[in-house]
Amino acid sequence: MNSIAIVLRKAPYGSVDAPEAVRHALGGAIEDVDVKLLLVDAGVNAARKGQDPSGTEYSNLETGIKDCIDMGVSVYANKVSLAENNLGEDKMIEGITALDSREIAGIIAASDTTMVF
Amino acid sequence: MLILIKNGPDTPEGKRGLQLALDMCADICLLQNAVYFAQKERLEGVCGKVYVLEEDKRLRGLNADEMEKDILPLDYDGLVDIMDSADKVAGIF
């Protein structure tokens, strides 16, 4: 497997989907797989700056996304989902690229494998 | 009447809870992913009080400037108080 598209649809902290998507993305990056993390629907909320889990036992998803970027994972967010979730690019973590739905579909089509969370 | 909602605006459960509150002019308490309902223009037509659990809002990085006005922040003790003082509580959607 050379390339994998990981699609995150769920908002962070409400379920295990978001941390699991980030964990799998980091795992792929470590194994030198070409990983693309696609944030769609409420999943774009994982790209929000200023997440503050202090005082809770949640792992910080903002840090997880930044780690992905540092490890060479390409992270994309769907423009329509960003608008629906009131998330302007000024409030988004740096290093994430906003794409339209056709570009997102193109990445999935070009990837060897797709995982959906 | 107090309606508790924990599912986000992108879910049928969350939308159902909000619709029920609108239909009954009930107070609403937003928990977990439902705190995204507190963003502007998502609570049109609500006639009861709206509360949001502060910890769940802070966790998700929601800023004060993107929130609807007149939303009352709560901590866990406050949540217990409003549930105790409400004549009826329905949830959790």
Side-chain angles (χ1 to χ4, degrees):
Chain A
M1 173 173 53
N2 297 313
S3 63
I4 183 169
I6 296 178
V7 180
L8 173 58
R9 301 171 306 156
K10 300 288 183 62
Y13 308 111
S15 67
V16 297
D17 298 279
E20 279 304 296
V22 167
R23 195 169 68 85
H24 280 75
L26 290 171
I30 290 167
E31 297 296 326
D32 287 326
V33 175
D34 171 21
V35 179
K36 293 182 170 63
L37 178 58
L38 306 172
L39 308 177
V40 301
D41 301 333
V44 297
N45 284 297
R48 187 180 288 275
K49 278 196 278 200
Q51 297 172 44
D52 179 8
S54 59
T56 72
E57 292 174 19
Y58 287 103
S59 51
N60 190 326
L61 257 304
E62 179 177 353
T63 307
I65 296 283
K66 286 176 180 171
D67 289 345
C68 284
I69 294 167
D70 293 343
M71 297 268 302
V73 174
S74 306
V75 183
Y76 302 99
N78 176 242
K79 285 179 182 174
V80 172
S81 304
L82 288 170
E84 284 170 353
N85 285 271
N86 302 315
L87 184 50
E89 292 194 32
D90 58 318
K91 289 194 166 74
M92 208 165 62
I93 297 167
E94 282 81 23
I96 296 176
T97 307
L99 296 182
D100 61 36
S101 299
R102 195 179 302 275
E103 291 167 310
I104 295 267
I107 288 174
I108 292 173
S111 297
D112 295 328
T113 304
T114 299
M115 295 177 74
V116 180
F117 288 88
Chain B
M1 181 72 170
L2 175 65
I3 305 274
L4 303 179
I5 305 176
K6 70 164 188 172
N7 287 289
D10 57 314
T11 67
E13 299 86 350
K15 289 171 187 165
R16 169 63 50 207
L18 181 61
Q19 187 58 54
L20 189 63
L22 292 178
D23 293 341
M24 296 198 288
C25 202
D27 293 343
I28 299 170
C29 186
L30 303 171
L31 315 166
Q32 296 182 25
N33 279 344
V35 299
Y36 291 117
F37 273 115
Q39 293 172 318
K40 287 189 177 105
E41 295 162 18
R42 289 191 192 271
L43 291 170
E44 267 138 41
V46 167
C47 40
K49 290 187 198 137
V50 179
Y51 302 91
V52 64
L53 197 60
E54 195 58 25
E55 178 173 292
D56 287 345
K57 181 171 85 69
R58 178 172 52 79
L59 179 62
R60 289 161 177 78
L62 291 173
N63 299 316
D65 64 343
E66 57 188 308
M67 310 299 282
E68 193 64 66
K69 58 182 177 24
D70 304 331
I71 288 188
L72 305 164
L74 279 186
D75 57 16
Y76 276 106
D77 294 339
L79 172 59
V80 173
D81 289 344
I82 63 167
M83 289 178 70
D84 184 46
S85 60
D87 56 343
K88 205 171 285 183
V89 179
I92 186 168
F93 288 90

